[in-house]
């Protein structure tokens, strides 16, 4: 992932912005030439030409002002387009990862990548690169003009220019290091913000809301510290390159005076040298500074690329999977990386097609872990799992996901309409949607909403009850049309009668293969299952 790659994708607008920038640099130069020439003419007391050049200078400066407007607008459009390209790329990479890969970083970290890092790319990547182009254009125009005043002025400029290009290299490592540390601190801040703000209710009920401010202030100080470290690096470079620039301008002024005294250049050169010399050195020190900043975006782009590889379209689903015959677990063993004890030990289980299996067991014994493995989210187990005789390890994730719907205890609700939360954007016939709503018992609730199915639900369903969220998740699973349902305490938030009714309705759907995890197995539910398995009986 390189920023230049994204510039390439928007080369048309980039060319337009560069064209405006170059014309503007030319207009600025014309303004400078106008002032210098006017000075020469007034010393010679030539009134007509003097006012003509004043007019040229005014016209150049006014045109510059007008073009500046278009430059700003086009630059903003270019920046916004590139932002979206980068976000799309990162989002695609995140979406193409496997379950463990995605959860390697927190969502807050990803948020920081897609917000803070994009801002940094805007400022230091896009903004600085365009600024560098403008600075180069101004340097070329100013250098050419100085040459016409006297060639020796250009030689002096080139000597100092070389010094200014070499000098900032001293600061490269310092700036790279502090820039990366700064983005890491931003990630930590976003993580703390998300953690504390999401935990508000808990802190509020325990009268500990002061913790909110304490943690946020601490994380903010951490960010301050790293911004200041970067500010030191960039400030040191900025100050020293500017010092060199001032020194160069003074020498150039002295040289121009000497040339005028020896009648080798017109009097106007005194203002021209100040103007163009000042422009060249200011822009050169600016380039050195902006180039360093621009380069500091490199590690950020590398970090964004670490989100994974770009997705490649998966193979089409195998026809043999159209109707899976059975799920078969053989000798499955698994333990979490940071825990010494294995949670599952040599578990073997067969779940024939369209059968209903209920898995029971005490809390913490590994039921959810087993469903995590069957769902394909956890992959680092030993042993084998097959679906229709095909080993999970040979199945592309997409193919497996086409066969399974996994409903957890705490389903996620998107900040989108009721319909979207059930269909996830797929098109589903209204009759089917209505039937599923009926099956999961959501119809009375939806009918009571002023906007019905168009009601926008809040982020993570904070305006819904736990039971309503679970009903939505079940509707989502049924609408998906997957032949295998994995239910992890999927009705735990419902009252006894509602939970019984819903479980009964699910277990009597003839086509579905169901693996249902439950703590509270009621006899009427057990009677509907083909198999009731206690995890402790199969976990050795
Ligand atoms: N991400 C994780 N990292 C480390 N350990 C974990 C993780 N998830 C679960 N565990 C541990 O694995 C064990 C089994 O957890 P699991 O959630 O599978 O149990 P469970 O039978 O579903 O429990 P419950 O009925 O309470 O939901 C527990 O000891 C738990 O602490």
């Amino acid at each position: 992932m390189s920023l230049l790659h994204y510039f390439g994708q928007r080369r048309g607008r980039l060319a337009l912005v560069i064209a405006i920038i170059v014309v503007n640099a030319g207009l600025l130069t014309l303004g400078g030439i106008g002032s210098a020439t006017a000075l020469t003419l007034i010393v010679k007391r030539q009134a007509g030409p003097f006012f003509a050049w004043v007019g040229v200078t005014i016209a150049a400066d006014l045109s510059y002002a007008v073009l500046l407007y278009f430059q700003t607008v086009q630059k903003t459009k270019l920046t916004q387009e590139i932002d979206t390209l980068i976000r799309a790329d990162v989002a695609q990479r995140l979406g193409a990862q496997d379950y463990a890969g995605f959860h390697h970083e927190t969502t807050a970290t990803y948020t920081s990548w897609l917000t803070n890092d994009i801002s940094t790319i805007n400022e230091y990547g896009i903004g600085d690169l365009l600024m560098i182009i403008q600075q180069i254009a101004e340097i070329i125009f100013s250098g050419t003009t100085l040459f016409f005043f006297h060639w020796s002025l250009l030689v002096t400029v080139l000597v100092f220019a070389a010094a200014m290009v070499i000098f900032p290299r001293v600061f490269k490592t310092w700036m790279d290091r502090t820039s990366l540390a700064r983005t890491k601190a931003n990630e930590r801040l976003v993580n703390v913000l998300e953690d504390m703000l999401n935990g508000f209710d808990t802190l509020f009920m325990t009268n500990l809301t002061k913790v909110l401010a304490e943690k946020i202030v601490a994380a903010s100080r951490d960010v301050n510290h790293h911004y200041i470290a970067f500010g030191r690096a960039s400030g040191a470079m900025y100050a020293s390159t500017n010092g060199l620039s001032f020194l160069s301008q003074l020498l150039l002024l002295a040289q121009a005076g000497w040339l005028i005294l020896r009648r080798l250049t017109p009097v106007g050169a005194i203002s021209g040298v100040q103007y163009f010399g000042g422009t060249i050195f200011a822009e050169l020190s600016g380039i050195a500074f902006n180039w360093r900043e621009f380069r500091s975006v490199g590690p950020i782009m590398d970090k964004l690329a670490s989100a994974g590889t770009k997705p490649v379209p998966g193979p089409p689903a195998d026809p043999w999977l159209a109707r899976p015959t059975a799920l078969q677990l053989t000798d499955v063993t698994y333990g979490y990386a940071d825990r010494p004890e294995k949670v599952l030990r040599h578990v073997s289980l067969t779940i024939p097609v369209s059968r209903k299996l209920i898995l029971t067991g005490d809390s913490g014994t590994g039921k959810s872990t087993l469903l995590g493995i069957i769902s394909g989210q956890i992959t680092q187990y030993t042993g084998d799992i097959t679906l229709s005789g095909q080993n999970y390890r040979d199945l592309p994730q997409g193919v497996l996901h086409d066969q399974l719907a996994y409903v957890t205890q705490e389903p996620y609700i998107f900040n989108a309409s009721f319909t979207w939360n059930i269909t996830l954007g797929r098109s589903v016939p209204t009759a089917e949607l209505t039937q599923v709503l009926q099956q999961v018992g959501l119809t009375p609730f939806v009918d009571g909403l002023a906007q019905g199915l168009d009601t926008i639900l809040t982020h993570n369903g904070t305006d819904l009850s736990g039971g309503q969220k679970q009903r939505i998740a079940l509707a989502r699973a049924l609408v998906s049309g997957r032949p295998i349902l994995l239910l992890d305490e999927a009705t735990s938030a419902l009252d006894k009668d509602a939970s019984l009714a819903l479980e009964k309705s699910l277990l009597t759907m003839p086509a579905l293969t169901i693996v249902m995890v439950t703590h509270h197995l009621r006899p009427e539910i057990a009677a509907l299952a083909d198999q009731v398995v206690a995890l402790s009986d199969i976990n050795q």
Side-chain angles (χ1 to χ4, degrees), residues 185-327:
N186 265 327
E187 281 169 15
R188 286 195 293 274
L189 174 64
V190 176
N191 271 301
V192 170
L193 290 177
E194 201 161 282
D195 194 27
M196 285 296 110
L197 296 174
N198 284 332
F200 175 81
D201 292 2
T202 310
L203 297 173
F204 179 72
M205 292 310 295
T206 42
N207 286 335
L208 282 172
T209 43
K210 66 176 180 3
V211 173
L212 187 93
E214 281 167 11
K215 291 253 187 192
I216 290 175
V217 166
S220 180
R221 291 213 169 106
D222 178 37
V223 166
N224 299 157
H225 165 73
H226 286 95
Y227 265 77
I228 292 167
F230 182 76
R232 281 207 180 94
S234 53
M237 189 183 77
Y238 201 45
S240 40
T241 46
N242 261 292
L244 194 60
S245 155
F246 290 140
L247 181 68
S248 319
Q249 281 179 64
L250 285 175
L251 280 173
L252 209 54
L253 182 66
Q255 186 179 355
W258 184 80
L259 288 169
I260 292 168
L261 289 173
R262 302 205 58 192
R263 297 184 188 284
L264 293 171
T265 193
V267 175
I270 201 82
S271 86
V273 160
Q274 271 184 313
Y275 180 79
F276 293 112
T279 300
I280 290 175
F281 292 123
E283 301 305 22
L284 266 177
S285 57
I287 284 182
F289 182 70
N290 292 334
W291 180 245
R292 280 289 126 248
E293 279 189 342
F294 176 72
R295 292 285 302 273
S296 70
V297 167
I300 296 174
M301 298 302 292
D302 292 344
K303 187 182 75 176
L304 296 187
S306 74
T309 49
K310 280 198 106 174
V312 283
D318 282 349
W320 61 263
L321 268 177
R323 186 150 180 77
T325 52
L327 261 171

Side-chain angles (χ1 to χ4, degrees), residues 334-339 343-344 361-371 378 409 488-489 517-519 535:
Y334 178 75
Y336 288 96
D338 48 356
R339 303 280 167 98
V343 178
L344 300 173
D362 292 342
S363 177
T365 49
K367 302 179 298 297
S368 301
T369 304
L370 188 62
L371 284 195
I378 298 173
Q409 276 186 70
D488 192 354
E489 309 272 5
V517 163
T518 185
H519 269 117
L535 184 56

Side-chain angles (χ1 to χ4, degrees), residues 465-468 470-471 491-503 522:
S465 73
Q468 284 159 348
Q470 290 189 332
R471 287 184 200 268
T491 61
S492 59
L494 294 169
D495 61 74
K496 187 182 164 205
D497 290 345
S499 147
L500 263 178
L502 201 46
E503 287 178 359
R522 298 188 181 96

Side-chain angles (χ1 to χ4, degrees), residues 526-539:
L528 292 173
D530 296 294
Q531 245 181 307
V532 176
V533 175
L535 184 56
S536 53
D537 290 344
I538 53 170
N539 202 11

